[in-house]
């Protein structure tokens, strides 16, 4: 049970960090082309990682 909770905590921390980076990239995207590319790619990667395949 401890391992399950530790895994969940790591996933939450990773998601929080990624959302923080993505929100900053969206804020800076109009003036920084690299941030615009990162925000587009990170959004796609996040959606793909969380997508549930339909059956």
């Amino acid at each position: 049970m401890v391992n399950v909770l530790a895994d969940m905590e790591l996933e939450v921390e990773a998601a929080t960090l990624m959302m923080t980076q993505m929100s900053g990239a969206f804020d800076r995207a109009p003036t920084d082309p690299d941030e615009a590319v990162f925000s587009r790619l990170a959004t796609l990667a996040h959606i793909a990682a969380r997508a549930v395949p339909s059956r």
Side-chain angles (χ1 to χ4, degrees):
M1 183 66 174
V2 172
N3 289 339
V4 172
L5 292 175
D7 287 344
M8 289 173 62
E9 193 274 333
L10 284 175
E11 189 164 337
V12 167
E13 287 293 324
T16 301
L17 178 60
M18 188 63 173
M19 289 299 111
T20 302
Q21 290 177 338
M22 285 176 63
S23 65
F26 275 107
D27 288 343
R28 294 183 294 273
T31 58
D32 187 349
D34 291 335
E35 293 287 359
V37 170
F38 172 76
S39 65
R40 287 193 300 269
L41 291 176
T43 301
L44 292 174
H46 181 73
I47 291 170
R50 300 286 181 240
V52 178
S54 60
R55 294 181 185 208

